[in-house]
Amino acid sequence: LHLLPLEILDTTLPQDRGEDLRYAMLDRLRRVLDAVGYGSTTLLVDRVDEPACVAGDPARMRSLVWPMLSSRFLQQPGLAVNTFHGWFLQLVAAAPLSAGLAGARLADDGSRRFDELWQSFATKMQQAPESPVAQALIRLFAVAGQHATRQLVKSGMARRAEWLVLAGDATDCHAAELAGLEEVFGKDDEAGVLEDFFSPGWEIDFTCYLGYLEANGVETDRRLAEQLAAVIATVAGGDRGGASFTALAETVLTKAGTLRARKLSKTLQDRLGAGAAHFLDLHAALGDRLMRCILRLQDARNLTLNRDALCVHSAFLAHLAAFKAERRQIDFVDAEWEVLRLLRDDANAAYVQARLDARYRHVLLDEFQDTNPLQWLILQSWLAAYEGTGAERPTVLLVADRRQSVSRF
């Protein structure tokens, strides 16, 4: 600051703390920037509802934001107003022809477009009902219902930026994610888990347990004994499905899935004699065996649900990509993704880098808690390109409050 002209620093500021002081300080800041070589200021305005209200159009953003600003502010020299997404779209529009983005138009990214995509996607599934994707969609409908499945697909489309950070251009990312899920849940499906449970000899301990129930003589145990005998006979007849397992579990566990309460009482000892203690030990052992199988069945269901969701998600994103390609359209996520690809592509990075370097020396990111991973990677790629070049990298200031994050939940 000691190198600046004294008349800039010695300017008398108004004594009041109202609007006059604010604009006097703004005028001083503008003159300081002008003295060190920055003759203009770009104001990037971002709003949570920007995609719906503005669609990346600077003119529409001005019509929305400028009424909230005083005319005195807008009369400040060297001031430009743009939108956050508009910045990305300008970079895409300026991309070299080799990037293949020439002629692309910004698409509507709202609910109407999803409704249209969902309808055409469902029609496509109806035309090939036996396809793996259609079968996965049918299973999701059966488990979660049509409304929840539709919302799941819509959420996946809305979080495409995060998915692109994870998957990039890889065509087998869903397979890789599924492999990770298999490490958590195992590879067995429900049929495999039940087949393992009802392996030869499974009934030996349960038949012994049946004898104790019949000997106990209590009405509740008598009903449980009848149910257990019926299950043993059903499984022996070849039915090893989920209904048989559920009926079996009910003879040892409560509806909540916990072990039925039993204790060593004098009445129980009188009825079962020396076998009372063994009955309780067998009760606990069978309950543990059933509960472990229930956990395995839940893991199998989780794996199936996620496998089907990944399958449908992949197919829907491909449907979305084809829809936009036919119309030469891009959306906000595409703009962000294409900018990142340009910065990472050796053939185009220097071109984009030059356009950025020529305009920006200081970067302030406000509301940083709402920055998505794709936007953060763009900033990182831009700044990382300075390493080893000898050029001065722009300074970066991040302003955030995690308590205000729109994604904090």
Side-chain angles (χ1 to χ4, degrees):
L1 292 178
H2 68 279
L3 298 178
L4 296 172
L6 292 177
E7 59 268 19
I8 294 179
L9 300 178
D10 289 344
T11 303
T12 302
L13 297 176
Q15 295 300 312
D16 66 278
R17 292 183 174 274
E19 189 173 87
D20 288 341
L21 176 61
R22 283 198 305 151
Y23 284 105
M25 295 186 68
L26 179 61
D27 182 65
R28 175 183 286 188
L29 174 62
R30 181 186 59 77
R31 287 190 289 152
V32 168
L33 292 175
D34 186 62
V36 295
Y38 300 102
S40 64
T41 302
T42 297
L43 176 63
L44 288 178
V45 183
D46 190 23
R47 293 167 52 106
V48 172
D49 56 354
E50 177 190 328
C53 294
V54 182
D57 185 348
R60 294 176 65 184
M61 175 58 86
R62 282 194 292 270
S63 68
L64 179 68
V65 175
W66 285 27
M68 294 185 276
L69 306 175
S70 69
S71 59
R72 186 174 178 182
F73 177 79
L74 296 175
Q75 291 169 3
Q76 297 299 310
L79 177 66
V81 178
N82 200 352
T83 71
F84 187 66
H85 285 103
W87 183 60
F88 288 114
L89 291 170
Q90 288 174 2
L91 291 177
V92 170
L97 292 176
S98 58
L101 298 173
R105 298 181 298 105
L106 183 65
D108 174 25
D109 199 24
S111 296
R112 290 180 60 184
R113 187 176 73 155
F114 175 78
D115 293 341
E116 182 180 356
L117 284 165
W118 176 254
Q119 185 61 45
S120 59
F121 181 72
T123 300
K124 185 178 179 180
M125 295 300 100
Q126 290 173 351
Q127 293 170 350
E130 300 303 320
S131 67
V133 178
Q135 289 298 306
L137 185 62
I138 291 172
R139 286 191 293 270
L140 287 176
F141 284 160
V143 173
Q146 293 192 23
H147 177 73
T149 299
R150 186 179 186 276
Q151 290 301 114
L152 180 66
V153 175
K154 187 175 183 179
S155 297
M157 176 178 164
R159 303 303 292 269
R160 192 159 49 91
E162 287 82 348
W163 180 257
L164 284 171
V165 171
L166 175 68
D169 289 322
T171 58
D172 60 346
C173 184
H174 288 87
E177 289 303 304
L178 181 59
L181 290 170
E182 289 176 346
E183 292 182 2
V184 176
F185 298 123
K187 297 183 178 181
D188 293 328
D189 56 14
E190 289 188 65
V193 173
L194 292 173
E195 187 68 28
D196 184 46
F197 182 88
F198 289 121
S199 59
W202 76 271
E203 76 285 353
I204 296 176
D205 287 339
F206 281 97
T207 301
C208 181
Y209 186 74
L210 171 61
Y212 283 126
L213 289 177
E214 293 173 335
N216 196 18
V218 179
E219 179 61 24
T220 301
D221 285 351
R222 185 187 63 78
R223 290 197 302 269
L224 292 176
E226 292 176 354
Q227 182 170 328
L228 179 53
V231 172
I232 293 174
T234 299
V235 175
D239 185 352
R240 294 177 171 83
S244 294
F245 178 82
T246 299
L248 178 67
E250 290 174 352
T251 64
V252 182
L253 306 177
T254 66
K255 291 183 178 179
T258 59
L259 191 66
R260 287 181 178 272
R262 294 188 183 276
K263 61 182 180 180
L264 187 62
S265 64
K266 184 177 183 302
T267 303
L268 185 65
Q269 289 178 319
D270 291 340
R271 290 173 177 166
L272 302 182
H278 181 247
F279 171 54
L280 296 180
D281 290 341
L282 188 58
H283 176 69
L286 294 178
D288 180 68
R289 181 177 165 187
L290 288 164
M291 286 187 284
R292 282 188 284 110
C293 186
I294 289 173
L295 291 177
R296 288 187 62 196
L297 286 171
Q298 186 59 57
D299 284 344
R301 295 186 190 104
N302 293 342
L303 180 65
T304 299
L305 176 66
N306 282 276
R307 181 193 292 120
D308 290 340
L310 284 170
C311 178
V312 173
H313 176 66
S314 178
F316 189 83
L317 291 188
H319 183 69
L320 168 63
F323 179 90
K324 290 184 296 183
E326 291 174 0
R327 295 160 177 78
R328 293 292 297 166
Q329 293 178 344
I330 62 172
D331 56 25
F332 290 126
V333 175
D334 294 324
E336 295 169 355
W337 176 242
E338 293 301 337
V339 169
L340 180 59
R341 291 181 64 185
L342 289 170
L343 287 170
R344 288 178 169 180
D345 181 12
D346 293 338
N348 297 310
Y351 180 87
V352 179
Q353 195 77 26
R355 295 186 64 85
L356 290 171
D357 292 351
R359 300 183 61 187
Y360 303 104
R361 290 293 179 267
H362 304 283
V363 178
L364 184 149
L365 291 180
D366 196 9
E367 306 294 349
F368 180 70
Q369 73 276 357
D370 295 329
T371 302
N372 71 42
L374 195 51
Q375 295 165 354
W376 177 234
L377 283 179
I378 290 172
L379 183 64
Q380 285 183 313
S381 297
W382 173 30
L383 299 179
Y386 284 89
E387 296 179 4
T389 64
E392 183 179 357
R393 189 173 70 177
T395 59
V396 179
L397 175 63
L398 307 180
V399 181
D401 183 353
R402 63 182 179 181
R403 293 173 297 178
Q404 296 182 16
S405 173
V406 296
S407 304
R408 66 183 182 273
F409 51 86

